[in-house]
Amino acid sequence: MDPLLASGIFAFGLLFGSFLNVCIYRLPRGLSVVWPGSACPKCSTPIKFYDNIPVLSWLILRGRCRRCNESISIRYMLVELLTGAMFLACYARFGLSFSALKCCVFAFLLLALIFTDAETKLLPNKLTLPGIAVGLLFSVFVPVNDLLTSLLPDAISLPVSAHVQWRFFSLLDSMLGAVVGASFIYGAGAIYLRWRGVQGMGFGDVKLMAMVGSFLGVRLTVLTIFAATLAGSFFGVGTVMLVWIKRTRRRMQRNQEPASRARRRAWQSAQLVYRHYQMPFGVFLGSMAILSLFFGSGFLHWYWGLM
């Protein structure tokens, strides 16, 4: 990497991360991301330009508003740093190319959706729906190279040049990825609804996976869903165990219950809490999509090599 160019791309990512914080806060609330300017979330005082420098302003002010001295979440600095790091990683992985631009746009959208879902348990249509369209558009300029691109050119001969043909099949791969991604999540949600009688996943997750599929294609989309399911399951089991242990200790200390009885009642309580806990599954889907973007192809190549 060229150090000067890499520094510029990282700084560019920090600026986009600052805008991303605006999107994360305002989009779920139905507010404009353009007007008015940035303001303190506690006292609504407009933030001066010198207090709105990515990362540095948060550090200088020690995470507090200059006017009301109320704390400002570390999430603001974290999102800026992550966005800068993701832009830099895209440049390191793909160089200065359309592929790097596609990677940056995809990472930007995913980070916005991950943090929005974590905070509000919402996945705004203003991010997912344009994301689907952008993913399809990018497939015309950056080859998806998935199932259809591998199989159809040998089976179907189109009366067009090779330059046009790969774009056509790449677009088909992108569309198929979007359909498969959305269908997987919709089907899983329908099965969960029939089994448990409650909604397990909303249409936000369906649209998120349609967006992921339009960028990644079928194979990496399926890998994303599989990895997110594992990560979500580990998180769920870990949450239940943590609540169980904590409530067991509390019952033994406060109620002076025998250990066996405290464990039994705490386990029932932990299961009840988890049953009614709305897991932000979009966090796991988005996180695993980022990992699939950078490491998915290498992992699948290694895995199929074992077969």
Side-chain angles (χ1 to χ4, degrees):
M1 293 189 299
D2 177 80
L4 185 61
L5 185 57
S7 300
I9 289 173
F10 179 72
F12 201 57
L14 294 180
L15 292 175
F16 270 86
S18 182
F19 175 68
L20 200 56
N21 279 316
V22 176
C23 297
I24 293 169
Y25 180 80
R26 295 188 183 186
L27 286 180
R29 294 168 174 82
L31 303 175
S32 170
V33 298
V34 179
W35 187 90
S38 298
C40 171
K42 303 292 175 61
C43 67
S44 301
T45 301
I47 297 176
K48 304 295 184 181
F49 73 92
Y50 49 79
D51 286 336
N52 207 21
I53 303 172
V55 180
L56 287 179
S57 293
W58 195 94
L59 292 173
I60 292 171
L61 295 173
R62 297 181 180 180
R64 293 187 177 277
C65 173
R66 186 184 293 273
R67 174 72 180 273
C68 66
N69 204 39
E70 288 290 330
S71 63
I72 298 176
S73 173
I74 195 174
R75 184 263 289 170
Y76 288 87
M77 183 180 70
L78 185 61
V79 167
E80 290 166 354
L81 285 173
L82 281 175
T83 308
M86 289 302 303
F87 277 35
L88 187 59
C90 292
Y91 168 57
R93 176 71 173 80
F94 299 104
L96 199 62
S97 62
F98 271 114
S99 295
L101 177 61
K102 175 181 176 179
C103 177
C104 288
V105 172
F106 189 41
F108 176 86
L109 291 169
L110 288 175
L111 286 174
L113 290 164
I114 288 170
F115 280 93
T116 302
D117 196 33
E119 289 193 3
T120 65
K121 296 182 175 62
L122 294 173
L123 295 167
N125 288 337
K126 290 183 179 180
L127 290 172
T128 54
L129 296 182
I132 296 171
V134 171
L136 293 172
L137 179 62
F138 264 117
S139 70
V140 180
F141 300 96
V142 180
V144 176
N145 287 334
D146 205 66
L147 297 177
L148 298 182
T149 304
S150 303
L151 300 175
L152 289 185
D154 294 331
I156 300 175
S157 179
L158 298 178
V160 294
S161 66
H163 185 68
V164 174
Q165 182 169 289
W166 78 257
R167 297 177 189 276
F168 175 73
F169 288 124
S170 179
L171 177 61
L172 288 182
D173 273 326
S174 179
M175 295 172 63
L176 182 61
V179 171
V180 169
S183 299
F184 255 95
I185 297 300
Y186 181 81
I191 293 172
Y192 188 89
L193 180 62
R194 279 183 168 273
W195 176 41
R196 299 293 297 272
V198 294
Q199 188 175 22
M201 283 173 281
F203 279 101
D205 295 310
V206 173
K207 285 173 277 193
L208 167 59
M209 282 313 301
M211 185 192 84
V212 170
S214 70
F215 275 90
L216 298 183
V218 175
R219 287 178 291 192
L220 293 182
T221 297
V222 173
L223 176 63
T224 296
I225 295 172
F226 179 73
T229 301
L230 285 179
S233 299
F234 282 124
F235 176 81
V237 171
T239 301
V240 171
M241 297 300 295
L242 188 63
V243 172
W244 178 44
I245 293 171
K246 184 177 180 179
R247 295 198 174 187
T248 297
R249 291 176 178 173
R250 187 168 62 188
R251 297 187 74 92
M252 292 175 65
Q253 292 173 358
R254 292 185 181 180
N255 303 338
Q256 301 297 315
E257 293 182 357
S260 60
R261 182 179 180 185
R263 283 195 293 267
R264 184 175 65 255
R265 290 193 171 184
W267 179 250
Q268 295 172 348
S269 178
Q271 286 182 309
L272 187 62
V273 168
Y274 182 67
R275 188 176 302 164
H276 295 283
Y277 173 66
Q278 186 181 357
M279 181 185 294
F281 194 51
V283 172
F284 301 100
L285 291 171
S287 301
M288 294 304 107
I290 290 176
L291 291 179
S292 294
L293 172 65
F294 288 101
F295 307 110
S297 296
F299 173 79
L300 290 177
H301 181 75
W302 167 81
Y303 180 78
W304 289 118
L306 297 177
M307 302 299 288

